[in-house]
Each structure stands twice: as C-alpha cells, then as structure tokens.
Amino acid sequence: MITTDSSSAKPVHPLSIGDYRLFLVARFSAVFATMAMIVIIGWQVYDVARSDYGMTPKEASFQLGLIGAAQFIPLFLLAPVAGWVADRFERRTVARFANSIDMLIALALGWMTYSGTLTLPALFAVAVAHGVARSFVGPSMSALAPNLVPPASLPQAIALSSIAWQSASVIGPAVAGFLYAAHPASPYWMSAGLLGLGSLALSFIKPVRAPSIKGTAHPLQQMVDGLRYVRRRRFLLGAITLDLFAVLLAGATAMLPVYARDILHVGPEGLGQMRAAPAIGAALVALFFVWRPLKTEVGLKMLLAVGAFGAITAAFGFSKSLTLSLALLVAMGAADMFSVYVRSSLIQLHTPDEMRGRVSSVGQIAISASNELGETRAGFMAALLGPVGAVVWGGAAAVVVTGLWAYIFPELRQAKNFDPPKEIN
C-alpha cells in the first residue's frame, strides 16, 4: 500500500500504481451511473408532472426545484457523520457499501419505470435515498485517493481523477438520454451494473488502514473539526464559498429538462447532450492540467474563471439554438473546472490525512449546496420569472458575487501558487 506518508521524493506516475487504476475504474463507473440516473430522474420528474399531473411549465419547474432539495437535505444532514466515518473506518469499505445502496436504488427505479408505476412521490422518495448514499460516497472516495499515491504524485492524481469524473459525466447523460428514448428502464439497469462494477473494483484495492484520529474528543466534536479547519484558513474558506455561491446562483442544470422539452424542443436525446456538454469542457481543462498543472496566479485565474462561468450562464439563458446552447455549456464547464481544480488541490495537499474525510465532507456540503440547492433556487425562480429569467438573472448574480469575493477575500487575488499560506505554517 502506498500512502501519503511515503518518504519517496521521486514522482511516480499515478497510472503505474495498480490500486490507483482500480480507484479510477470505481470512480468512473460510479459517476457514470450516478449522472445517468440524475439526468433521467430530472426528465421523469418534469415529464410526469406535465403529462400525468397536468402541470404548467412553471409548476413543473417548481417540482424540479423540490427534487433538488430532496437530494440535498439528507446530504447536508449526514455530511458531518459521513466525513467522520471516512476518517474513522476503512475508506474502501465505506465507499463500497454506499455504492451498493445506490445500486439498489437504481434497480428500484428501473423496476418502477418498467412496470409503469412511477409517480412523483416515488421519485421524491428515491431522490432522498440517493442523497443518503451520495453523502457517504463522496468523502470516502475523496479521502481514499491520497492513500494510494505518494505526495509528489498527488496533483497529477487529482487531475486524472477529475478526468475520470468529467468523462463519466460526459458519457453518462448522453448514453442515458439515448437509452431512455429506446427503452425507458434501460438507463437504470445500466446504472445498477456500473455501480456493481465500481464496488467490485474497490474490493480488489489492497486494504487501506483507517487513519488514527488525534485526541480523545467526543465523536460529535470530531465531526465539526473539519468545519473549524476550513474556517481558520481564509484562502480555503474563500475558495470553497466562492464556488458554493457562484454555482448556487448560476447553476442551470435544473432548467435543462425545461429547455429540452419546451424551449429547444429536442427531447431526452437533446437533454442528454446538454447534460454532457459542460463535462466535455471540464474534461478538456482537466486533461490540460494533467500535462500543464496550474502553478502561477492560481487565485486570480480562479476568480476570472468563476466570473466567466456566470456570464456564460446568462448568455445560455437567452439561447434558442441547440448548437449555440451546447457551445455555451461546454465553455461553462471549462470555466467551472478551474475552480474545482484549485479547490480540490488545496483540500488534498494541505489537509492532514486523519482529517481528510471530515474536510472533504465540508467540500461536499458546498458542492451539494451549490448543485442541489442551486436546482432548488432555479426551480423556485422559474416559478416566478420563468425558466429563461431564472437562468439569466442567476448568471448575472454570480458575476456580482465573484467581484464581492475578490474584495472580501483579498487572499484569493493575491494567491500565487498552491503553497500553504503563512497562517497555517
């Protein structure tokens, strides 16, 4: 087993490490399955609300907002527990168990779709269960990767892991859209198989020793240590909260079923393409970082990228062409990847191993808040302003937030590289 405690100073390519290759298989399979499930759940919620319940586009958009909240609430409540579990127990086992729960959820969705018994209450129930499973997968998988490669190889491993995540995010929604058009239950059968494959790959990784949590504090106290760690490091706090509020305001994914069905009129196949497009841009940026890691002016570049993310989102809101929409979504994903890369590198490189699960859970709360609550925000705003207004005004607000954060957190503008700031030395 290779851990981050390795004394070897010579960089080793992560792909030369067998356990890391298995980790990439598990990560790719799980993300592929999860993204496929999410895109079909969103389509089914909107379609069922419109077709079976006779809702208007605004009313059905409101349901999309609620489904985002249904996924976020269990993750928000359980993230501190999940982070502590990832630091207290064997991370490989935790991730494998959570994957297995998600596999059962995929099977249930497949059966309900196949038998024609799918309803809005059923979709909300499985969304909650999916949020529970995801709350444990994220911290355990994020904290596992640094245990598989030496420290010198970690930035490259982070970029490769991002490529696995983003490429799965590209292929998953697109494949799910085409499969759903051919046979509505088939995306869920595929997802169940991939989640089983991910669990199998994790099983073949050599056992990773659970880190020893320092001190004798009560488990509840240990759970909040990750929040304290982030709060005391302004650069890390600024980077996480910037991403949180920017994506919370500018996230447009919840409105994609509306655009696919009622604005662009491209159906589930077009929805799959639109869900995949941001990940294409993100994967290209991650691939670039594998060969040319970001080293200089990391804070300023992140701020510019987040501002661009908001502006591109606003432009997407006005689009009436599928081709233009796809191009803008690709650019949106590329801009977002800058923030993901900076934040991930900071968390993994400057967090002690015994706290990685808990700090990763803080990052997961921010990611989920920005994504799921962003969907809730978009759904609620769409009910008031319409889907176009929700996307355009959300993107504009993200640009404003970026300017505010550049002022509130000057550490972001001034950060030149990933070296630990003086306050944590």
Side-chain angles (χ1 to χ4, degrees):
M1 177 184 69
I2 298 175
T3 72
T4 55
D5 295 327
S6 172
S7 61
S8 173
K10 183 180 179 181
V12 176
H13 197 288
L15 291 180
S16 68
I17 302 170
D19 282 348
Y20 184 77
R21 293 197 299 270
L22 288 168
F23 168 82
L24 286 182
V25 170
R27 185 165 179 77
F28 179 87
S29 300
V31 173
F32 190 116
T34 297
M35 296 305 294
M37 289 168 63
I38 288 174
V39 72
I40 299 304
I41 289 173
W43 172 265
Q44 288 181 320
V45 166
Y46 187 75
D47 190 51
V48 168
R50 294 277 281 123
S51 302
D52 296 354
Y53 291 78
M55 295 184 185
T56 66
K58 284 188 176 182
E59 292 169 339
S61 296
F62 184 76
Q63 298 301 313
L64 289 173
L66 291 177
I67 202 74
Q71 294 179 73
F72 171 74
I73 291 172
L75 193 148
F76 175 77
L77 294 175
L78 292 174
V81 178
W84 178 79
V85 168
D87 284 339
R88 181 66 179 81
F89 299 98
E90 210 268 332
R91 290 162 177 167
R92 184 182 57 114
T93 302
V94 175
R96 190 172 55 202
F97 179 76
N99 259 359
S100 299
I101 297 297
D102 229 6
M103 181 178 68
L104 295 177
I105 293 169
L107 291 172
L109 282 165
W111 171 252
M112 286 188 288
T113 301
Y114 175 77
S115 61
T117 57
L118 201 63
T119 62
L120 281 181
L123 284 166
F124 277 93
V126 295
V128 170
H130 183 59
V132 171
R134 284 179 60 203
S135 68
F136 287 90
V137 171
S140 57
M141 290 291 282
S142 296
L144 176 62
N147 296 136
L148 307 177
V149 300
S153 304
L154 190 53
Q156 202 170 28
I158 290 171
L160 284 168
S161 180
S162 294
I163 289 174
W165 196 96
Q166 298 296 351
S167 59
S169 298
V170 170
I171 303 170
V175 171
F178 286 114
L179 286 177
Y180 184 84
H183 191 282
S186 57
Y188 293 125
W189 305 139
M190 175 193 68
S191 294
L194 286 170
L195 288 163
L197 174 63
S199 295
L200 183 63
L202 288 169
S203 299
F204 283 107
I205 295 176
K206 291 186 288 292
V208 175
R209 178 178 54 84
S212 299
I213 297 179
K214 295 179 181 179
T216 58
H218 190 277
L220 291 176
Q221 183 68 40
Q222 294 172 356
M223 290 178 193
V224 300
D225 283 344
L227 289 170
R228 284 202 186 94
Y229 185 89
V230 172
R231 187 189 64 191
R232 293 171 180 170
R233 288 149 180 85
R234 283 184 55 83
F235 184 34
L236 188 58
L237 176 64
I240 288 177
T241 54
L242 172 63
D243 183 78
L244 188 160
F245 286 107
V247 180
L248 174 65
L249 293 168
T253 54
M255 293 296 99
L256 293 185
V258 185
Y259 274 77
R261 191 182 193 278
D262 292 326
I263 296 177
L264 300 177
H265 306 289
V266 292
E269 298 95 335
L271 174 61
Q273 294 176 44
M274 287 194 289
R275 283 301 299 254
I280 292 175
L284 292 174
V285 171
L287 182 61
F288 176 79
F289 285 149
V290 171
W291 304 109
R292 295 285 299 275
L294 192 62
K295 295 180 180 179
T296 61
E297 303 293 344
V298 296
L300 179 60
K301 290 175 181 176
M302 182 180 69
L303 287 166
L304 292 173
V306 175
F309 174 80
I312 295 166
T313 299
F316 167 79
F318 288 115
S319 176
K320 297 297 192 298
S321 161
L322 177 61
T323 301
L324 177 59
S325 295
L326 291 175
L328 290 169
L329 288 168
V330 169
M332 191 189 304
D336 185 47
M337 186 61 207
F338 268 86
S339 177
V340 172
Y341 180 81
V342 172
R343 187 182 67 251
S344 297
S345 297
L346 285 169
I347 290 175
Q348 300 294 3
L349 289 171
H350 304 301
T351 303
D353 186 49
E354 70 273 6
M355 288 190 64
R356 278 202 176 102
R358 284 165 289 172
V359 173
S360 293
S361 73
V362 176
Q364 177 166 297
I365 290 175
I367 292 171
S368 184
S370 62
N371 291 335
E372 276 75 25
L373 282 188
E375 293 182 0
T376 303
R377 186 276 315 165
F380 291 173
M381 283 187 69
L384 297 174
L385 305 174
V388 173
V391 174
V392 172
W393 284 107
V399 176
V400 174
V401 165
T402 304
L404 287 174
W405 253 240
Y407 175 77
I408 296 170
F409 294 94
E411 296 87 351
L412 295 179
R413 303 194 312 268
Q414 299 164 2
K416 303 299 181 183
N417 51 48
F418 290 118
D419 291 340
K422 293 180 180 179
E423 63 182 341
I424 67 171
N425 284 342

